[in-house]
Amino acid sequence: MVFIPMPVNLGDLVLSRYVPMGFASTLRCGGRELAVGFFEANAVLEVDGVRTVLMPVPAASGARFEAPGDPGTWVWNRENAVLVSLGGEALPE
């Protein structure tokens, strides 16, 4: 007996490019859980399963990374704290 698979319609499949995170840390900012990783010279922010590459920008202290075209989304690592803003909304430390 030979099994012949029948075609199956899966509907529309949405694909997205894989964005590596490198070494990542999970953060809890208020009620939000997110991850921040570093890959090459950039930071990668993962919120609700979506990863955004953040580019380094000048900072008075520490290391600050910002989303290209969205200055309201950033991660700022300074001293012993990480500050995060999503779309202009600063999250609790």
Side-chain angles (χ1 to χ4, degrees), residues 21-26 35-38:
M21 284 194 75
F23 178 75
S25 297
T26 301
V36 177
F38 298 93

Side-chain angles (χ1 to χ4, degrees), residues 21 23-38 43-48 54 74-78 80-86 91-93:
M21 284 194 75
F23 178 75
S25 297
T26 301
L27 307 174
R28 183 169 301 279
C29 301
R32 302 288 303 260
E33 186 172 296
L34 49 103
V36 177
F38 298 93
V44 180
L45 175 64
E46 182 176 75
V47 179
D48 300 328
L54 307 176
W74 47 261
V75 171
W76 191 356
N77 181 10
R78 60 182 199 188
N80 293 328
V82 177
L83 305 174
V84 179
S85 175
L86 301 175
L91 300 181
E93 186 176 329

Side-chain angles (χ1 to χ4, degrees), residues 1-18:
M1 178 182 278
V2 176
F3 176 72
I4 301 174
M6 300 298 293
V8 176
N9 182 356
L10 299 176
D12 294 335
L13 298 178
V14 178
L15 304 176
S16 61
R17 181 176 62 93
Y18 174 74

